[in-house]
Amino acid sequence: MRVGVLVQMAREKDIDTQFAEVKEMGMESCQLVCWDRSLFTDENADKILAAKEKYGIDITAFWCGWPGPKIWNFYGGQETLGLVPVAYRFERMQALFEGSDFAAKLNVSDLVTHVGFIPENPYDGNYSGIVHAVKSVADYCAENNQTFLFETGQETPITLLRIIQDIGSTNLGINLDPANLILYGKANPVDALEVFGKYVRGIHGKDGLYPTDGHELGKEVPLGQGRVNFPVFIARLKEIGYNGDITIEREITGDEQKRDILEAKRILEQLI
């Protein structure tokens, strides 16, 4: 296992500078994140490939955002996040298709996103539409020789396992964010590996606290200060044969973010 970090693709951020920083922090890999589909251009692909080659950084996955409103709580999230809301589904599928094509230009084999609050009840009237939508995205990814990964958090582990089985595509996997399972109050991430461990193709190195309010998510905190038991979590990943990367995510900005990322790297490398 290697330790990497998220790299944000945005108009105000220079890719070469960000890849240089990844290298300076002593990392060899990253996941590339983008919420702006207008950036999916040949020119930007060329810049990313040049930076990747220049600094020797592997891009392990492309995390593709989608247009429209995003409310990160237990109420607004139900109606705004991912492919679950019917009102935004078609446009977001198109954005994911475009993201898949952009990832193909970068020779990246994994496309990741949040699908949303997938219903736990498979007889929910919206469930079959979500299954069809994700299968369409997975099929599109297959044409680009890619695997589509669910980012964990908004669904219970058994719900995620069920929808993967119900879709039935062979190019489905999971990007396991252990903190998200805690932030959304869905599961202990170590136990979650017992449910869907064989589908895990990516890991986020992030920590958090359980929610204490029925409306709001728990709090993200520096790695090592939350409820993810990383010593046990890493040991269990080794037991199930996971040998991919752990990509650090810290959802703040500035100097404190970099300090927390470097401390997370130190902790994770000791455990690995």
Side-chain angles (χ1 to χ4, degrees), residues 196-207:
F196 56 44
K198 68 179 180 179
Y199 290 103
V200 174
R201 286 175 58 95
I203 301 283
H204 278 172
K206 191 170 81 178
D207 211 343

Side-chain angles (χ1 to χ4, degrees), residues 19-88:
F19 273 67
E21 189 169 22
V22 173
K23 184 71 172 180
E24 185 266 332
M25 289 190 290
M27 301 184 193
E28 300 174 15
S29 72
C30 71
Q31 286 186 5
L32 190 63
V33 181
C34 186
W35 285 87
D36 184 352
R37 63 201 284 199
S38 70
L39 298 178
F40 299 166
T41 65
D42 290 343
E43 180 183 2
N44 282 329
D46 290 342
K47 289 179 179 178
I48 293 165
L49 289 170
K52 173 180 180 292
E53 181 69 21
K54 179 179 178 180
Y55 298 106
I57 306 299
D58 294 331
I59 304 173
T60 57
F62 183 67
W63 207 108
C64 186
W66 19 257
K70 298 174 283 291
I71 302 174
W72 304 99
N73 65 27
F74 294 127
Y75 275 65
Q78 301 279 348
E79 298 182 335
T80 63
L81 298 181
L83 299 177
V84 172
V86 176
Y88 312 114

Side-chain angles (χ1 to χ4, degrees), residues 240-254:
I240 67 174
Y242 179 79
N243 59 3
D245 291 40
I246 299 179
T247 305
I248 297 169
E249 179 180 15
R250 181 70 172 108
E251 296 178 342
I252 59 173
T253 58

